[in-house]
Structures are given as structure tokens and as C-alpha cells.
Amino acid sequence: TSETSVNISRLLGRLGLAALPANKNQEVLDVFNDIYPESFLLCNVLEVAISNSNLILHPTPTLLSAARIENSKGDFYLYREAFTPAVLEVTDEMDREVVRVKNALGMRPISHSELFAKRYDVADFRAFIKEVIGPKGNKGPFEVSSRYITEDTPIGLRLLSSLGDYAGIPTPTFDASIQFAGLMNKTNYWETGMTLEFLGLAELALPELQHYL
């Protein structure tokens, strides 16, 4: 905010983490807890990736606010405005799709809503939006080419969709978001996004993938 000051909009809550390989998990947790007390373990790095809150918070609510964003001319607050009851129905279904994929991959089927409750001492995802991030959320995004879409769609949504394909679990809400994001930004996120093929893991059977992780 000046040459000698910064704005800290919020302090991050407890962080879920894992090591690669996961047999180093406890060793890594011990180090992190010295720096970030109350960090906690997730199963493996893929579980960490699809437990990233940005999957739920960023791309789809931004897409569903596209007209408002483009008409607001810079006067838009995602966390205050976007999470209406109708949009929350969509993010709830995305959360259920994540849980189904986690379950099929042998991960603990912890929902994003449960993770928000654990990380921020709130009741659920809705409470997090209303009590934690909504009142303090930064202004923006200001365009559909925001990082909320251009980063989180190829890296987050596309990975979850790829894992769903691998596990035989449909992810239609994620897939719709990927398609709309691509159309709005004239980018084929199906081809450019992170997939198990991109990671070199697609040919592994599930027990082999679990062992690798």
C-alpha cells in the first residue's frame, strides 16, 4: 500500500500437506509444524492438489459472474458478490464430485467443506464465505482472463477431471467449467491443462499409482 507497507487481507488457516514420496510425510510435517503450527497430513501429493481450495473458490464462481465482472468496470468483489445461493448449489456439486473421485482413488473422502471447517474453525464452506473471506476479500477479478481462470482451470479443474476419467467417475460440473472457461478465453484447456498423461502417470494401474505416490 506504500513503499514501506503491505496489505495482509487474511492469515491462511491450517495447511494440509504431503511429501513425495508419502513415506516422508511425518518427517515433512514435523518441519512444517515448526513454521506453520497445526499443519496436518493428507494422503499424498495428488490429494493435496485436489484439496486445493482454489478448485472451488476461483474458476466457476468467476465464470458465473462473467457478465457482472465485464460490466462492473473494476468494481467487483468475488467473495462478497459471487457466492449467491444458486452459485453455492454449483460449488456444492463440485465438492461432491471431488469426494467421489477421492473415494475411487483410495483417498479419504474429505470434502472441501470439511477442510474449510478444519482450517478456519468454522462450521462449513458457507460459514467460511460469510464469516472469513467475504468481509475481507480483495477486490476483483476484473476480467475473465484473470488468473482465477487462467491458472486454476488448467492446473486444478483439468487435473480433477483427468483423475475422474482415470477412476471412471464422471465430473460433469468440472467439465462444464473447463469448457466455458476455454470458450471465454479462446483457449483449449482440455489440451493445455495438467492431466495424468502430462504427468506421465496415466499408464499406471491404481495400485501402481498409489505405490508410486
Side-chain angles (χ1 to χ4, degrees):
T1 55
S2 77
E3 291 183 358
T4 58
S5 64
V6 296
N7 172 54
I8 300 173
S9 60
R10 67 187 182 282
L11 296 176
L12 288 176
R14 304 170 184 93
L15 297 171
L17 57 95
L20 181 65
N23 60 15
K24 301 288 188 181
N25 273 359
Q26 189 58 51
E27 183 178 333
V28 168
L29 182 65
D30 292 341
V31 172
F32 265 75
N33 272 334
D34 283 342
I35 308 166
Y36 303 107
E38 299 185 87
S39 299
F40 59 92
L41 288 177
L42 294 171
C43 177
N44 55 51
V45 290
L46 274 184
E47 184 179 12
V48 172
I50 62 175
S51 297
N52 183 344
S53 60
N54 290 356
L55 271 71
I56 304 296
L57 286 173
H58 286 174
T60 305
T62 300
L63 291 167
L64 294 174
S65 303
R68 168 79 179 101
I69 290 168
E70 292 186 328
N71 279 300
S72 70
K73 302 188 185 332
D75 188 25
F76 175 73
Y77 293 81
L78 181 74
Y79 299 116
R80 296 183 196 174
E81 300 184 54
F83 292 88
T84 65
V87 173
L88 286 167
E89 291 296 327
V90 178
T91 57
D92 283 350
E93 180 56 27
M94 297 182 81
D95 203 356
R96 288 188 285 268
E97 289 178 12
V98 172
V99 168
R100 289 193 284 269
V101 169
K102 285 182 176 181
N103 195 49
L105 294 174
M107 302 170 184
R108 290 167 296 174
I110 304 172
S111 70
H112 279 270
S113 192
E114 291 173 291
L115 286 169
F116 279 113
K118 182 179 181 68
R119 291 180 64 189
Y120 291 97
D121 287 326
V122 293
D124 53 23
F125 178 65
R126 282 168 165 74
F128 169 76
I129 292 294
K130 183 177 180 180
E131 300 169 16
V132 178
I133 200 169
K136 299 180 181 179
N138 293 333
K139 184 182 283 192
F142 306 124
E143 54 194 5
V144 294
S145 59
S146 154
R147 64 181 177 85
Y148 281 23
I149 292 180
T150 61
E151 290 181 11
D152 294 319
T153 301
I155 300 301
L157 303 193
R158 187 65 184 98
L159 177 61
L160 191 283
S161 176
S162 174
L163 289 170
D165 290 340
Y166 174 84
I169 303 297
T171 56
T173 318
F174 276 84
D175 295 351
S177 296
I178 295 165
Q179 182 68 11
F180 281 126
L183 291 171
M184 289 185 187
N185 281 320
K186 300 179 181 179
T187 303
N188 189 337
Y189 293 119
W190 298 106
E191 292 184 356
T192 63
M194 183 179 291
T195 63
L196 283 181
E197 288 80 7
F198 175 85
L199 296 171
L201 303 175
E203 300 303 316
L204 299 179
L206 182 56
E208 295 172 320
L209 177 62
Q210 291 168 331
H211 177 72
Y212 173 84
L213 294 169

